[in-house]
Tab-separated table of all heavy atoms in Angstrom:
chain	number	residue	atom	x	y	z
A	1	GLN	N	-16.947	8.881	-2.400
A	1	GLN	CA	-16.440	7.684	-1.599
A	1	GLN	C	-14.954	7.481	-2.063
A	1	GLN	O	-14.125	7.145	-1.265
A	1	GLN	CB	-17.285	6.444	-2.020
A	1	GLN	CG	-18.600	6.458	-1.350
A	1	GLN	CD	-19.388	5.180	-1.658
A	1	GLN	OE1	-18.857	4.322	-2.275
A	1	GLN	NE2	-20.676	5.164	-1.317
A	2	ASP	N	-14.728	7.771	-3.349
A	2	ASP	CA	-13.309	7.696	-3.881
A	2	ASP	C	-12.379	8.618	-3.153
A	2	ASP	O	-11.294	8.401	-2.786
A	2	ASP	CB	-13.190	7.801	-5.271
A	2	ASP	CG	-13.865	6.715	-6.124
A	2	ASP	OD1	-14.090	5.627	-5.505
A	2	ASP	OD2	-14.135	6.874	-7.350
A	3	TYR	N	-12.947	9.949	-3.139
A	3	TYR	CA	-12.160	10.908	-2.372
A	3	TYR	C	-11.925	10.562	-0.901
A	3	TYR	O	-10.700	10.729	-0.492
A	3	TYR	CB	-12.972	12.249	-2.420
A	3	TYR	CG	-12.567	13.357	-1.358
A	3	TYR	CD1	-11.357	13.986	-1.464
A	3	TYR	CD2	-13.418	13.557	-0.203
A	3	TYR	CE1	-11.019	14.953	-0.570
A	3	TYR	CE2	-13.036	14.557	0.702
A	3	TYR	CZ	-11.824	15.086	0.583
A	3	TYR	OH	-11.421	16.095	1.546
A	4	ARG	N	-12.892	10.096	-0.158
A	4	ARG	CA	-12.786	9.779	1.281
A	4	ARG	C	-11.849	8.630	1.488
A	4	ARG	O	-10.967	8.690	2.302
A	4	ARG	CB	-14.233	9.515	1.839
A	4	ARG	CG	-15.032	10.768	2.028
A	4	ARG	CD	-16.287	10.435	2.623
A	4	ARG	NE	-17.188	11.656	2.800
A	4	ARG	CZ	-18.285	11.712	1.984
A	4	ARG	NH1	-18.808	10.725	1.344
A	4	ARG	NH2	-18.903	12.818	2.111
A	5	ARG	N	-11.935	7.641	0.604
A	5	ARG	CA	-10.969	6.502	0.553
A	5	ARG	C	-9.542	6.978	0.241
A	5	ARG	O	-8.581	6.620	0.939
A	5	ARG	CB	-11.338	5.464	-0.426
A	5	ARG	CG	-10.520	4.172	-0.333
A	5	ARG	CD	-11.067	3.038	-1.137
A	5	ARG	NE	-11.772	3.346	-2.449
A	5	ARG	CZ	-13.130	3.254	-2.556
A	5	ARG	NH1	-13.959	2.992	-1.537
A	5	ARG	NH2	-13.646	3.598	-3.825
A	6	PHE	N	-9.287	7.856	-0.669
A	6	PHE	CA	-8.066	8.464	-0.996
A	6	PHE	C	-7.412	9.166	0.272
A	6	PHE	O	-6.233	8.924	0.614
A	6	PHE	CB	-8.177	9.340	-2.076
A	6	PHE	CG	-6.966	10.290	-2.375
A	6	PHE	CD1	-5.804	9.715	-2.800
A	6	PHE	CD2	-7.032	11.605	-2.113
A	6	PHE	CE1	-4.654	10.494	-3.047
A	6	PHE	CE2	-5.826	12.416	-2.252
A	6	PHE	CZ	-4.679	11.894	-2.763
A	7	VAL	N	-8.201	9.985	0.898
A	7	VAL	CA	-7.748	10.729	2.106
A	7	VAL	C	-7.396	9.669	3.142
A	7	VAL	O	-6.312	9.725	3.770
A	7	VAL	CB	-8.801	11.830	2.543
A	7	VAL	CG1	-8.282	12.326	3.969
A	7	VAL	CG2	-8.932	12.906	1.577
A	8	ARG	N	-8.314	8.752	3.455
A	8	ARG	CA	-7.970	7.743	4.477
A	8	ARG	C	-6.819	6.889	4.099
A	8	ARG	O	-5.819	6.623	4.941
A	8	ARG	CB	-9.171	6.864	4.529
A	8	ARG	CG	-9.119	5.859	5.807
A	8	ARG	CD	-10.285	4.894	5.821
A	8	ARG	NE	-10.473	4.204	4.685
A	8	ARG	CZ	-11.537	4.255	3.778
A	8	ARG	NH1	-12.488	4.994	4.033
A	8	ARG	NH2	-11.616	3.457	2.689
A	9	ASP	N	-6.709	6.503	2.820
A	9	ASP	CA	-5.571	5.645	2.400
A	9	ASP	C	-4.216	6.463	2.589
A	9	ASP	O	-3.203	5.836	2.887
A	9	ASP	CB	-5.812	5.159	1.003
A	9	ASP	CG	-6.803	3.938	0.965
A	9	ASP	OD1	-7.359	3.661	2.038
A	9	ASP	OD2	-7.212	3.595	-0.177
A	10	LYS	N	-4.331	7.625	2.110
A	10	LYS	CA	-3.105	8.528	2.123
A	10	LYS	C	-2.445	8.610	3.503
A	10	LYS	O	-1.234	8.451	3.866
A	10	LYS	CB	-3.314	9.863	1.450
A	10	LYS	CG	-2.105	10.771	1.344
A	10	LYS	CD	-2.544	12.014	0.617
A	10	LYS	CE	-1.418	12.949	0.379
A	10	LYS	NZ	-0.380	12.390	-0.685
A	11	THR	N	-3.431	8.991	4.454
A	11	THR	CA	-3.065	9.084	5.892
A	11	THR	C	-2.578	7.693	6.366
A	11	THR	O	-1.434	7.602	6.992
A	11	THR	CB	-4.255	9.563	6.637
A	11	THR	OG1	-4.685	10.721	6.090
A	11	THR	CG2	-3.847	9.770	8.073
A	12	SER	N	-3.255	6.672	6.139
A	12	SER	CA	-2.787	5.373	6.692
A	12	SER	C	-1.542	4.777	6.072
A	12	SER	O	-0.595	4.233	6.814
A	12	SER	CB	-3.889	4.276	6.650
A	12	SER	OG	-4.183	3.985	5.326
A	13	LEU	N	-1.219	5.145	4.826
A	13	LEU	CA	0.042	4.663	4.064
A	13	LEU	C	1.111	5.569	4.756
A	13	LEU	O	2.359	4.973	5.013
A	13	LEU	CB	-0.079	4.878	2.679
A	13	LEU	CG	-0.931	3.788	1.911
A	13	LEU	CD1	-1.189	4.198	0.531
A	13	LEU	CD2	-0.238	2.414	2.022
A	14	LEU	N	0.982	6.749	5.013
A	14	LEU	CA	2.003	7.695	5.639
A	14	LEU	C	2.333	7.014	7.014
A	14	LEU	O	3.650	6.791	7.333
A	14	LEU	CB	1.556	9.027	5.759
A	14	LEU	CG	1.559	9.902	4.532
A	14	LEU	CD1	0.821	11.201	4.792
A	14	LEU	CD2	3.014	10.170	4.072
A	15	ILE	N	1.375	6.663	7.781
A	15	ILE	CA	1.627	6.172	9.161
A	15	ILE	C	2.401	4.793	9.018
A	15	ILE	O	3.286	4.466	9.777
A	15	ILE	CB	0.357	5.928	9.957
A	15	ILE	CG1	-0.302	7.370	10.229
A	15	ILE	CG2	0.352	5.182	11.138
A	15	ILE	CD1	-1.696	7.333	10.671
A	16	GLU	N	1.828	3.963	8.033
A	16	GLU	CA	2.405	2.630	7.906
A	16	GLU	C	3.884	2.708	7.407
A	16	GLU	O	4.809	1.962	8.013
A	16	GLU	CB	1.546	1.781	6.875
A	16	GLU	CG	1.777	0.368	7.055
A	16	GLU	CD	0.774	-0.355	6.203
A	16	GLU	OE1	-0.259	0.168	5.812
A	16	GLU	OE2	1.037	-1.586	5.840
A	17	GLN	N	4.106	3.630	6.558
A	17	GLN	CA	5.600	3.928	6.031
A	17	GLN	C	6.496	4.269	7.178
A	17	GLN	O	7.497	3.812	7.462
A	17	GLN	CB	5.484	4.939	4.966
A	17	GLN	CG	5.264	4.461	3.599
A	17	GLN	CD	5.258	5.622	2.579
A	17	GLN	OE1	4.387	6.322	2.517
A	17	GLN	NE2	6.427	5.761	1.798
A	18	LYS	N	5.974	5.307	7.907
A	18	LYS	CA	6.765	5.808	9.068
A	18	LYS	C	7.092	4.564	10.168
A	18	LYS	O	8.212	4.392	10.614
A	18	LYS	CB	6.205	6.937	9.798
A	18	LYS	CG	6.805	7.494	10.943
A	18	LYS	CD	8.026	8.191	10.423
A	18	LYS	CE	8.764	8.996	11.580
A	18	LYS	NZ	10.050	9.555	11.168
A	19	ASP	N	6.044	3.883	10.429
A	19	ASP	CA	6.184	2.691	11.334
A	19	ASP	C	7.130	1.696	10.888
A	19	ASP	O	8.032	1.374	11.680
A	19	ASP	CB	4.810	2.147	11.619
A	19	ASP	CG	4.957	0.977	12.537
A	19	ASP	OD1	5.408	1.183	13.739
A	19	ASP	OD2	4.368	-0.110	12.264
A	20	LEU	N	7.057	1.454	9.638
A	20	LEU	CA	8.087	0.413	8.945
A	20	LEU	C	9.425	0.887	9.066
A	20	LEU	O	10.403	0.225	9.454
A	20	LEU	CB	7.713	0.008	7.560
A	20	LEU	CG	6.482	-0.947	7.474
A	20	LEU	CD1	6.137	-1.012	6.087
A	20	LEU	CD2	6.904	-2.327	7.928
A	21	GLU	N	9.636	2.320	8.747
A	21	GLU	CA	10.984	2.773	8.693
A	21	GLU	C	11.545	2.859	10.154
A	21	GLU	O	12.721	2.582	10.359
A	21	GLU	CB	10.930	4.314	8.228
A	21	GLU	CG	10.568	4.448	6.820
A	21	GLU	CD	11.554	3.822	5.827
A	21	GLU	OE1	12.765	3.760	6.173
A	21	GLU	OE2	11.111	3.298	4.775
A	22	GLU	N	10.666	3.040	11.188
A	22	GLU	CA	11.101	3.045	12.517
A	22	GLU	C	11.515	1.615	12.927
A	22	GLU	O	12.606	1.354	13.576
A	22	GLU	CB	10.073	3.545	13.447
A	22	GLU	CG	9.819	5.003	13.482
A	22	GLU	CD	10.950	5.772	14.077
A	22	GLU	OE1	11.596	5.426	15.084
A	22	GLU	OE2	11.150	6.866	13.508
A	23	GLN	N	10.803	0.621	12.526
A	23	GLN	CA	11.144	-0.790	12.920
A	23	GLN	C	12.480	-1.243	12.194
A	23	GLN	O	13.335	-1.889	12.906
A	23	GLN	CB	10.011	-1.697	12.397
A	23	GLN	CG	8.719	-1.640	13.324
A	23	GLN	CD	7.733	-2.606	12.928
A	23	GLN	OE1	8.049	-3.837	12.805
A	23	GLN	NE2	6.563	-2.133	12.557
A	24	ILE	N	12.435	-0.787	10.927
A	24	ILE	CA	13.786	-1.172	10.156
A	24	ILE	C	14.939	-0.487	10.779
A	24	ILE	O	15.958	-1.275	11.088
A	24	ILE	CB	13.643	-0.756	8.682
A	24	ILE	CG1	12.583	-1.721	7.968
A	24	ILE	CG2	14.996	-0.659	7.975
A	24	ILE	CD1	12.336	-1.175	6.570
A	25	LYS	N	14.840	0.813	11.159
A	25	LYS	CA	15.999	1.441	11.818
A	25	LYS	C	16.393	0.767	13.110
A	25	LYS	O	17.459	0.435	13.458
A	25	LYS	CB	15.458	2.798	12.074
A	25	LYS	CG	16.599	3.775	12.721
A	25	LYS	CD	16.194	5.118	12.786
A	25	LYS	CE	17.219	6.077	13.557
A	25	LYS	NZ	16.707	7.325	13.706
A	26	PHE	N	15.290	0.380	13.894
A	26	PHE	CA	15.496	-0.283	15.230
A	26	PHE	C	16.224	-1.648	14.967
A	26	PHE	O	17.275	-1.923	15.752
A	26	PHE	CB	14.201	-0.589	15.951
A	26	PHE	CG	14.306	-1.441	17.143
A	26	PHE	CD1	14.834	-0.924	18.343
A	26	PHE	CD2	13.930	-2.723	17.065
A	26	PHE	CE1	14.994	-1.607	19.499
A	26	PHE	CE2	14.046	-3.476	18.271
A	26	PHE	CZ	14.586	-2.932	19.398
A	27	PHE	N	15.831	-2.472	14.165
A	27	PHE	CA	16.408	-3.738	13.865
A	27	PHE	C	17.834	-3.642	13.254
A	27	PHE	O	18.681	-4.433	13.462
A	27	PHE	CB	15.400	-4.741	13.025
A	27	PHE	CG	14.436	-5.330	13.832
A	27	PHE	CD1	12.992	-4.862	13.626
A	27	PHE	CD2	14.665	-6.358	14.797
A	27	PHE	CE1	12.044	-5.387	14.473
A	27	PHE	CE2	13.519	-6.767	15.513
A	27	PHE	CZ	12.286	-6.382	15.330
A	28	GLU	N	17.940	-2.665	12.395
A	28	GLU	CA	19.319	-2.452	11.878
A	28	GLU	C	20.249	-2.044	12.913
A	28	GLU	O	21.428	-2.606	12.920
A	28	GLU	CB	19.229	-1.377	10.792
A	28	GLU	CG	18.672	-1.746	9.372
A	28	GLU	CD	18.524	-0.707	8.363
A	28	GLU	OE1	18.528	0.435	8.730
A	28	GLU	OE2	18.351	-1.115	7.184
A	29	GLU	N	19.923	-1.270	13.856
A	29	GLU	CA	20.695	-0.859	14.931
A	29	GLU	C	21.000	-2.037	15.817
A	29	GLU	O	22.192	-2.222	16.248
A	29	GLU	CB	20.059	0.299	15.763
A	29	GLU	CG	20.086	1.606	15.120
A	29	GLU	CD	19.211	2.610	15.921
A	29	GLU	OE1	18.608	2.313	16.935
A	29	GLU	OE2	19.158	3.862	15.283
A	30	GLN	N	19.965	-2.826	16.089
A	30	GLN	CA	20.215	-4.070	16.919
A	30	GLN	C	21.218	-4.979	16.285
A	30	GLN	O	22.056	-5.533	16.794
A	30	GLN	CB	18.885	-4.859	17.133
A	30	GLN	CG	17.902	-4.113	18.006
A	30	GLN	CD	18.218	-3.811	19.356
A	30	GLN	OE1	18.823	-4.657	20.067
A	30	GLN	NE2	18.161	-2.493	19.738
A	31	LEU	N	21.066	-5.200	14.959
A	31	LEU	CA	21.964	-6.063	14.166
A	31	LEU	C	23.301	-5.513	14.208
A	31	LEU	O	24.324	-6.308	14.566
A	31	LEU	CB	21.406	-6.291	12.806
A	31	LEU	CG	22.258	-7.174	11.828
A	31	LEU	CD1	22.252	-8.683	12.421
A	31	LEU	CD2	21.596	-7.143	10.460
A	32	GLU	N	23.513	-4.333	14.075
A	32	GLU	CA	24.863	-3.590	14.073
A	32	GLU	C	25.470	-3.703	15.271
A	32	GLU	O	26.673	-4.169	15.483
A	32	GLU	CB	24.604	-2.095	13.713
A	32	GLU	CG	26.071	-1.495	13.541
A	32	GLU	CD	25.887	0.116	13.047
A	32	GLU	OE1	24.924	0.394	12.411
A	32	GLU	OE2	26.614	0.880	13.593
């Protein structure tokens, strides 16, 4: 269960990080 949770969390954190980076980039461009 720990292994499965690790794989799931690793994947979802990568997705979340990428999404946040995209949003930050978008809002920084808008602000600029």
Side-chain angles (χ1 to χ4, degrees):
Q1 286 178 10
D2 291 346
Y3 159 73
R4 290 183 186 114
R5 186 172 30 259
F6 167 69
V7 170
R8 186 183 62 242
D9 289 353
K10 185 173 184 69
T11 303
S12 65
L13 286 168
L14 284 168
I15 293 168
E16 205 171 336
Q17 278 178 280
K18 182 67 174 174
D19 182 52
L20 283 168
E21 293 300 328
E22 288 289 322
Q23 287 184 56
I24 287 170
K25 185 177 177 182
F26 173 78
F27 282 108
E28 285 175 340
E29 287 171 359
Q30 294 297 310
L31 182 60
E32 184 180 326

